[in-house]
Every structure is written in C-alpha cells, then in structure tokens.
Amino acid sequence: MLNLFSLDSLNIITFLWLAFWAWHSLKSLMLHQKKSIYFVIIVHFLFFGLPLLQDVVFGKPEYNGLPGFYFASRDNLTSVIYCFYVSVLPLFWLSIERRIIRKYDIINDNKTNSAWLNSFLNAKAIIHK
C-alpha cells in the first residue's frame, strides 16, 4: 500500500501538473487565443490544485464533526483516484473544447464560410430586425 511519503509525492506531482496547465492557459489567454476552457482550467487549479499543496505543507484538515470527510481524506485509494481524476480533467476538457466562433470570424474565414452558414446568419439578422 502507499505510505504517507508517496501520497505527498503524488499530491505534489498532481499540483505541478495542474500548475503547468494553469500556466499554459494563462499564457494562452495573454496571447489572445480563443478558447473559453482556459478560464475553467485556471479556476480548476485554484480550487483543486492548490489544496493538494496545502495538504502537504500544512497537513490535512481535521474535519471535526464530519467523520465521512475525515476518513475519506485519509484513505489512500481515495487520494489516488482523486489525483488521477483532477489530473485528467484538463486534458479531457481541452480535447472536447472547440474554438469560440464569432460572426466576423465566420464571414472572414474561408474554411468555415459555407452557403448554409451565411444563409443562417442572414435569416437570423432578418428575424432580429
């Protein structure tokens, strides 16, 4: 079974992995790349990555009066599953995220500029007049 040292190592590795994706997302946002998932990945790091480092540095919370949380936070298998789950989420989100498409992008982009799309936009403009 995993000992405390290896769980702390796993938490640090997971923290660094999530920090890398948060840094990548922040860098991409600063370069004006058009993926809305970057905001989600940064928030995911703040709420799920930073607590992993805090568990290593400050220790796990006591959860007085909440025995379920207490035992779950100290279970080795639960910790491994949690680290795996939060590590896979940024990759999953990036694999299903699509580029934000704005009206001017569609009109100016020859790859996505099709007749049915233009007719849809024209019909939408007529309806909203």
Side-chain angles (χ1 to χ4, degrees):
M1 205 57 149
L2 295 172
N3 60 17
L4 183 62
F5 178 73
S6 62
L7 279 178
D8 284 346
S9 300
L10 181 63
N11 284 348
I12 291 171
I13 290 169
T14 305
F15 167 79
L16 292 173
W17 174 255
L18 294 176
F20 164 75
W21 285 109
W23 173 78
H24 171 73
S25 298
L26 187 62
K27 184 179 78 166
S28 298
L29 286 171
M30 293 174 111
L31 295 174
H32 304 289
Q33 292 185 1
K34 299 176 184 176
K35 287 194 174 188
S36 60
I37 201 65
Y38 292 144
F39 294 106
V40 176
I41 291 174
I42 292 169
V43 171
H44 176 72
F45 169 71
L46 293 175
F47 284 103
F48 298 97
L50 286 180
L52 291 171
L53 183 65
Q54 291 172 343
D55 286 347
V56 173
V57 174
F58 303 116
K60 295 184 186 252
E62 289 300 318
Y63 297 113
N64 295 329
L66 300 168
F69 283 112
Y70 177 82
F71 291 117
S73 68
R74 277 132 180 96
D75 182 46
N76 292 341
L77 182 60
T78 304
S79 297
V80 171
I81 292 170
Y82 177 81
C83 286
F84 175 75
Y85 179 71
V86 299
S87 295
V88 170
L89 280 177
L91 296 175
F92 174 72
W93 287 334
L94 286 171
S95 71
I96 63 170
E97 171 66 16
R98 62 183 184 161
R99 188 172 156 257
I100 298 172
I101 300 175
R102 295 189 176 96
K103 185 175 179 178
Y104 64 86
D105 289 339
I106 295 171
I107 294 170
N108 294 331
D109 189 6
N110 290 333
K111 294 180 220 167
T112 59
N113 194 3
S114 60
W116 69 271
L117 200 51
N118 281 332
S119 62
F120 171 76
L121 291 174
N122 291 334
K124 185 177 175 186
I126 292 169
I127 292 171
H128 289 302
K129 281 187 178 181

